Amino acid sequence: MSMSMFERLISNGVASSSLTTQRRMRKSISMLVRPLYEKLLDDPIKLKLSTSYGIKYQYTPGFKDTLYFWNHKFEEKPSNVGLSVCNQHECNMVKAIIKVLRYEGIENSQITILSPYKGQVRELRKQEKEINVQTVDQYQGDENDVIILSMVRTCKETPFIKKVNRMCVALSRARRAFYIVGNSSLLEKTDHWRQTIDMFRKNKRIGDQLPRQCPRHPDSELEPLNDEMKPITWCTKDCGSKMDCKLHKCLLKCHTDPKKHSNCQQKCDQMLDCGHKCAKKCKSIEKCECQTIVEKKLPCTHTAAMLCTIDPKKFQCQLEVPKVLECKHTQIMRCYESPKTCKEISYGERDCGHVVTAECHNLDNKKRGLCNEEVSELCGNCKNQIKFVCSNRNIHKCLHQVRVKLSQCKHSVLVECHSQNNPISQCKEIVDDELPCRHTNKVPCWTKGNYPCTLR
């Protein structure tokens, strides 16, 4: 049962051929299985064209190396899956690697976590629900951009560690980056794993800290991931990447969001034909146009400050100057304005001789209007002083009381002066009215002879 069907066929003389050219792994990863395939070659053209991350990476975003053995000494514990085991500390180490990859824009679908033990797989699936987590045996024949291998064991050798073919499967699943989390001391007890770990050491790709590097600022010093699980630090340098406009650099702090490089809001600063620099926002947002204020000579011979792009012939001169109007008055107005109505306060004489004041443009109308001046004169009849509005000179009435004799009864009554030529016809003087019965009534003069006797 320890021999696969493929191995049985070959051992029984069935014709077979060995792999000589691989097109999956980058060269730094394929070296791990080259001792198992002595004649293995890398296809340089295929691997050069393979850009799974969208750019030609020479490294994994966020890490200094694409291949690394992160060593630790934390022991495994029994799991809830049969006799299988799990290592919670390794789970935390795997989570830290994934956190950096996600921050740098690696998609969940580009990452696979492998482990030899079902207990560890179950634990990792609980913590990383969006990432494919499989046992090494289940993932045979599959591949992905980034493979993280959790070895779990630190105390005891197991059949998985001892079998070369299972090691071969585990080491050959990654296309672009491969990270092993485990205990090298235990693995080195077997010859094939010792040979593999020696390759890690020779290339300085093993340690108890996982070196990190900002893909945008390779010289930036980032604190490596370590088994103490300290909070992860990020690059604090200025981004400096080219904006989509290709003219400006990003002024934000280092980030991984390419959308922030679109819609550049920086000052354009492109040299224009007029010799000035464009002061508007980047031309990817706004059309270049000179915003410089310059002095220009106007057709009126005055000079004015205006935008460089404005034609002085179309500019309205705002300078305030004196202008002589048709009425010969002088008025202060803007140079571009034409004289309109004169608002100078002027004096004029009405036909009645009174003086009127008004704004110059309204003086003639005011002179022709009704005069409201109060005047006085002697009444021609009663010789009393009377007052009236000038415009009522020909219709005013004297209201003084004067005494006149009535022509019929010869009594005198008080009337308004203006009506003395038309005295009242009903005299109200009380007089004796001698009746035919020889009695006498006291009655108003005008009713004399009209009242009956009231005596008995």
Side-chain angles (χ1 to χ4, degrees), residues 325 327 329-331 340-346 359-362:
L325 310 182
C327 59
H329 288 133
T330 301
Q331 187 173 330
K340 295 179 181 178
T341 55
C342 179
K343 296 186 179 181
E344 186 85 16
I345 300 300
S346 302
E359 290 183 348
C360 179
H361 70 92
N362 198 37

Side-chain angles (χ1 to χ4, degrees), residues 33-64:
V33 295
R34 194 162 276 111
L36 307 177
Y37 301 92
E38 295 181 358
K39 297 180 180 180
L40 184 65
L41 300 174
D42 299 313
D43 186 333
I45 298 177
K46 180 69 176 178
L47 293 176
K48 186 176 181 180
L49 294 175
S50 179
T51 54
S52 302
Y53 299 158
I55 57 175
K56 296 179 181 179
Y57 281 136
Q58 299 301 319
Y59 47 84
T60 306
F63 294 108
K64 191 173 182 180

Side-chain angles (χ1 to χ4, degrees), residues 214-390:
C214 175
R216 293 158 295 282
H217 307 101
D219 58 337
S220 177
E221 293 185 6
L222 298 181
E223 189 173 344
L225 300 182
N226 56 58
D227 54 18
E228 295 178 5
M229 295 293 106
K230 292 181 180 179
I232 299 174
T233 59
W234 309 104
C235 180
T236 57
K237 288 194 172 185
D238 294 333
C239 176
S241 299
K242 280 279 188 180
M243 301 294 285
D244 289 350
C245 64
K246 308 300 182 185
L247 299 174
H248 304 112
K249 290 183 177 181
C250 179
L251 301 179
L252 300 175
K253 289 296 181 182
C254 183
H255 62 88
T256 61
D257 187 359
K259 293 180 181 179
K260 293 181 179 180
H261 293 152
S262 59
N263 297 326
C264 180
Q265 300 291 319
Q266 297 181 45
K267 190 176 177 182
C268 179
D269 269 345
Q270 292 292 297
M271 188 63 71
L272 305 176
D273 293 340
C274 61
H276 299 128
K277 286 185 177 182
C278 178
K280 298 182 77 173
K281 289 182 180 178
C282 180
K283 67 180 182 181
S284 63
I285 302 297
E286 296 181 335
K287 183 180 178 180
C288 282
E289 188 177 22
C290 186
Q291 300 290 300
T292 306
I293 303 297
V294 295
E295 288 279 339
K296 292 187 179 183
K297 192 171 184 179
L298 307 180
C300 61
T301 70
H302 295 135
T303 58
M306 65 189 77
L307 287 173
C308 177
T309 54
I310 294 178
D311 184 353
K313 293 179 181 179
K314 298 179 180 180
F315 186 82
Q316 294 181 329
C317 182
Q318 302 294 314
L319 186 67
E320 292 189 339
V321 295
K323 291 191 177 184
V324 179
L325 310 182
E326 291 182 5
C327 59
K328 307 305 180 184
H329 288 133
T330 301
Q331 187 173 330
I332 303 297
M333 63 183 69
R334 289 188 176 93
C335 179
Y336 78 92
E337 294 179 328
S338 299
K340 295 179 181 178
T341 55
C342 179
K343 296 186 179 181
E344 186 85 16
I345 300 300
S346 302
Y347 301 87
E349 188 175 319
R350 297 179 187 273
D351 293 339
C352 62
H354 289 127
V355 176
V356 63
T357 61
E359 290 183 348
C360 179
H361 70 92
N362 198 37
L363 184 61
D364 289 341
N365 292 333
K366 199 78 177 285
K367 286 166 64 177
R368 287 191 293 268
L370 296 175
C371 181
N372 294 318
E373 289 285 336
E374 189 178 80
V375 295
S376 63
E377 64 180 21
L378 291 177
C379 177
N381 294 323
C382 65
K383 306 303 181 183
N384 286 313
Q385 195 83 11
I386 57 175
K387 294 182 179 180
F388 53 89
V389 174
C390 180

Side-chain angles (χ1 to χ4, degrees), residues 23-148:
R23 297 175 177 84
R24 173 190 299 166
M25 300 167 282
R26 67 189 323 151
K27 191 174 181 179
S28 59
I29 300 174
S30 67
M31 73 172 185
L32 299 177
V33 295
R34 194 162 276 111
L36 307 177
Y37 301 92
E38 295 181 358
K39 297 180 180 180
L40 184 65
L41 300 174
D42 299 313
D43 186 333
I45 298 177
K46 180 69 176 178
L47 293 176
K48 186 176 181 180
L49 294 175
S50 179
T51 54
S52 302
Y53 299 158
I55 57 175
K56 296 179 181 179
Y57 281 136
Q58 299 301 319
Y59 47 84
T60 306
F63 294 108
K64 191 173 182 180
D65 301 298
T66 57
L67 175 69
Y68 204 83
F69 192 113
W70 191 1
N71 199 16
H72 73 89
K73 296 180 181 179
F74 293 92
E75 296 183 3
E76 68 275 14
K77 295 180 180 179
S79 72
N80 297 327
V81 183
L83 299 176
S84 188
V85 294
C86 65
N87 190 317
Q88 185 58 50
H89 194 82
E90 272 196 20
C91 290
N92 295 334
M93 295 168 77
V94 170
K95 284 171 61 179
I97 296 174
I98 292 173
K99 185 174 182 179
V100 173
L101 293 173
R102 280 177 175 156
Y103 177 82
E104 294 296 345
I106 306 302
E107 301 289 340
N108 290 328
S109 60
Q110 294 177 277
I111 306 170
T112 297
I113 306 172
L114 300 180
S115 179
Y117 307 104
K118 292 181 179 179
Q120 185 75 342
V121 168
R122 174 176 288 187
E123 190 64 30
L124 286 166
R125 282 176 177 170
K126 289 180 184 178
Q127 300 180 28
E128 294 294 342
K129 297 180 181 180
E130 297 179 355
I131 290 182
N132 185 21
V133 184
Q134 301 286 345
T135 63
V136 174
D137 293 340
Q138 289 173 328
Y139 206 65
Q140 192 168 179
D142 287 328
E143 60 186 67
N144 207 346
D145 289 330
V146 181
I147 298 294
I148 304 171

Side-chain angles (χ1 to χ4, degrees), residues 11-29:
S11 63
N12 288 317
V14 176
S16 64
S17 60
S18 298
L19 175 70
T20 58
T21 303
Q22 69 88 18
R23 297 175 177 84
R24 173 190 299 166
M25 300 167 282
R26 67 189 323 151
K27 191 174 181 179
S28 59
I29 300 174

Side-chain angles (χ1 to χ4, degrees), residues 161-214:
I161 296 175
K162 294 177 179 178
K163 284 186 176 290
V164 177
N165 59 343
R166 300 180 87 181
M167 181 192 77
C168 179
V169 172
L171 299 181
S172 59
R173 301 302 96 200
R175 288 196 292 259
R176 285 283 169 261
F178 182 39
Y179 299 101
I180 301 176
V181 179
N183 182 280
S184 60
S185 299
L186 175 66
L187 297 176
E188 285 182 304
K189 292 180 180 179
T190 60
D191 293 337
H192 50 274
W193 272 108
R194 185 187 311 111
Q195 186 179 20
T196 300
I197 292 172
D198 284 343
M199 282 190 281
F200 277 99
R201 286 202 178 95
K202 181 180 179 180
N203 291 281
K204 298 181 180 179
R205 303 268 179 99
I206 186 171
D208 55 5
Q209 293 183 331
L210 181 53
R212 293 178 57 219
Q213 180 175 283
C214 175

